[in-house]
């Protein structure tokens, strides 16, 4: 009889754990000050050598997160802006041109910037080996103790949308690593990868999304959880910052989301977009159509399945 209260206590604890929800913090303000405020709300201090992973934007693109917006946060954590080269012809596939684009967009005049795969790449372990045997990232990733994943939430031609999971997977991968993810492990050679699976979106789209989730988990595990995730919901074009000529955003800016859970924060942004009551001049339909066309929401389903995070979350508004 004495064991019953103990068993009941254990059951209650297990039930509470099963239904626990990750906190996702939200502010409607998109300002340098609100970025610092939402970072502080997470309650985790970025220590040591801090990498701030952003997209510096393709040449011609004007939707990327501007240096003036992120400066206070980067300065607050004494961070280094980190990037990697792309896997498609443009202004960021070649390191020399990428540095020119970084300069044109005003990053290197304000921050320390590290093009992590400029001189090489490394392989890091991957937990989910359904498609990938490892994750191929810029070698300078090894120089950092902590990462702030500072993503611009918007549409994407291939992923449907880009948020923190895309920023951790495709964003941290080297050119070869990007090919490896896009082709679901078929090729890491940019000369052949496009023919080995990248363009076969109709047949391999879910495999690509699963590979992105696995790569995002690899980066998260590499830092042993010493990562925080922030999505800025502004300039939400249907096109990514990797597009030099993106479509004009038809949906107005919504705010900033942040969490310690990448799945939860991407899911919270998706929910905000899909549940929004659009109107003329502030229309969420084009972005929803882009996401649905690429089955984009599947990445949060699969990422939750492999244990990267949870789609269940508690939204905490910090404006009040």
């Amino acid at each position: 009889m004495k064991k019953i209260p103990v068993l009941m206590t254990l059951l209650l604890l297990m039930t509470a754990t099963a239904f626990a929800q990750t906190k996702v913090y939200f502010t409607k303000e998109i300002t340098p000050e609100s970025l610092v405020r939402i970072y502080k709300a997470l309650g985790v201090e970025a220590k040591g050598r801090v990498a701030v992973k952003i997209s510096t934007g393709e040449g011609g693109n004007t939707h990327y997160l501007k240096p003036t917006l992120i400066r206070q946060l980067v300065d607050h954590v004494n961070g280094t802006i980190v990037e990697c080269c792309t896997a498609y012809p443009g202004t960021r596939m070649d390191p020399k041109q990428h540095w020119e684009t970084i300069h044109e967009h005003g990053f290197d005049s304000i921050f320390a910037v590290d093009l992590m795969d400029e001189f090489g790449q490394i392989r890091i372990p991957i937990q989910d080996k359904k498609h990938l045997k490892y994750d191929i990232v810029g070698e300078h990733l090894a120089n950092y103790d902590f990462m702030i994943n500072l993503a611009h939430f918007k549409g994407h031609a291939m992923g449907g949308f880009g948020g923190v999971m895309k920023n951790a997977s495709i964003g941290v991968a080297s050119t070869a690593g990007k090919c490896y993810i896009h082709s679901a492990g078929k090729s890491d050679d940019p000369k052949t990868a496009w023919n080995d699976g990248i363009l076969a979106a109709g047949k391999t789209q879910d495999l690509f999304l699963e590979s992105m989730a696995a790569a995002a988990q690899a980066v998260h595990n590499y830092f042993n959880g010493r990562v925080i995730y922030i999505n800025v919901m502004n300039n939400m074009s249907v096109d990514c910052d990797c597009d030099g000529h993106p479509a004009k955003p038809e949906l107005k800016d919504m705010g900033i989301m942040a969490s310690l859970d990448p799945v939860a924060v991407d899911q919270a942004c998706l929910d905000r977009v899909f549940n929004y009551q659009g109107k003329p001049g502030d229309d969420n339909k084009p972005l929803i159509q882009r996401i649905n066309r690429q089955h984009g929401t599947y990445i949060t389903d699969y990422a939750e399945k492999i244990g990267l995070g949870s789609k269940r979350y508690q939204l905490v508004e910090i404006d009040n």
Side-chain angles (χ1 to χ4, degrees), residues 21-26 38-47 146-149 164-165 168 216-217 219-221 223-231 257-268 307-316:
Q21 294 182 334
T22 303
K23 288 184 178 180
V24 174
Y25 295 88
F26 174 70
I38 205 165
Y39 157 75
K40 290 182 177 180
L42 291 169
V44 174
E45 184 182 357
K47 295 181 179 180
F146 195 102
M147 176 173 282
I148 295 180
N149 183 326
V164 295
M165 283 192 285
Q217 185 180 46
V219 173
H220 184 86
N221 291 348
F223 282 98
N224 195 26
R226 294 186 296 273
V227 190
I228 64 173
Y229 298 93
I230 303 174
N231 271 331
M257 300 270 194
S259 182
L260 303 180
D261 182 331
V263 181
V265 73
D266 272 356
Q267 186 63 51
L308 177 55
S310 173
K311 291 170 58 179
R312 293 175 56 85
Y313 61 89
Q314 175 190 355
L315 194 66
V316 180

Side-chain angles (χ1 to χ4, degrees), residues 1-79:
M1 294 295 291
K2 293 181 180 180
K3 292 183 178 180
I4 293 177
V6 176
L7 289 173
M8 290 180 63
T9 300
L10 287 172
L11 287 171
L12 287 171
L13 286 171
M14 290 171 64
T15 302
T17 301
F19 288 95
Q21 294 182 334
T22 303
K23 288 184 178 180
V24 174
Y25 295 88
F26 174 70
T27 174
K28 293 180 180 178
E29 294 182 13
I30 304 178
T31 64
E33 294 77 15
S34 65
L35 263 178
V36 175
R37 190 163 66 249
I38 205 165
Y39 157 75
K40 290 182 177 180
L42 291 169
V44 174
E45 184 182 357
K47 295 181 179 180
R49 298 163 296 180
V50 180
V52 182
K53 175 62 187 76
I54 65 164
S55 169
T56 50
E58 189 68 15
N61 188 292
T62 59
H63 296 159
Y64 57 90
L65 299 180
K66 303 300 187 295
T68 50
L69 174 63
I70 69 174
R71 182 172 186 173
Q72 286 191 26
L73 175 59
V74 178
D75 287 348
H76 183 78
V77 300
N78 192 28

Side-chain angles (χ1 to χ4, degrees), residues 83-95:
E83 257 279 46
C84 283
C85 290
T86 60
Y88 55 85
T91 67
R92 295 186 300 149
M93 186 174 184
D94 171 75

Side-chain angles (χ1 to χ4, degrees), residues 90-112:
T91 67
R92 295 186 300 149
M93 186 174 184
D94 171 75
K96 182 177 181 297
Q97 284 186 298
H98 198 158
W99 276 115
E100 291 172 355
T101 303
I102 288 170
H103 181 70
E104 289 171 3
H105 290 175
F107 289 99
D108 61 340
S109 61
I110 298 177
F111 310 112

Side-chain angles (χ1 to χ4, degrees), residues 100-173:
E100 291 172 355
T101 303
I102 288 170
H103 181 70
E104 289 171 3
H105 290 175
F107 289 99
D108 61 340
S109 61
I110 298 177
F111 310 112
V113 181
D114 184 2
L115 197 54
M116 292 192 293
D117 64 336
E118 182 176 11
F119 303 109
Q121 60 193 20
I122 57 174
R123 295 176 178 180
I124 63 174
I126 200 160
Q127 181 175 323
D128 175 53
K129 293 184 172 65
K130 184 177 182 180
H131 307 296
L132 310 179
K133 297 178 181 178
Y134 39 73
D135 191 20
I136 311 172
V137 301
E139 68 173 355
H140 288 179
L141 188 70
N143 295 340
Y144 300 97
D145 307 304
F146 195 102
M147 176 173 282
I148 295 180
N149 183 326
L150 182 55
H152 175 208
F153 187 89
K154 69 288 180 191
H156 190 271
M158 299 194 74
F161 78 96
V164 295
M165 283 192 285
K166 176 183 176 294
N167 198 34
S169 56
I170 299 297
V172 175

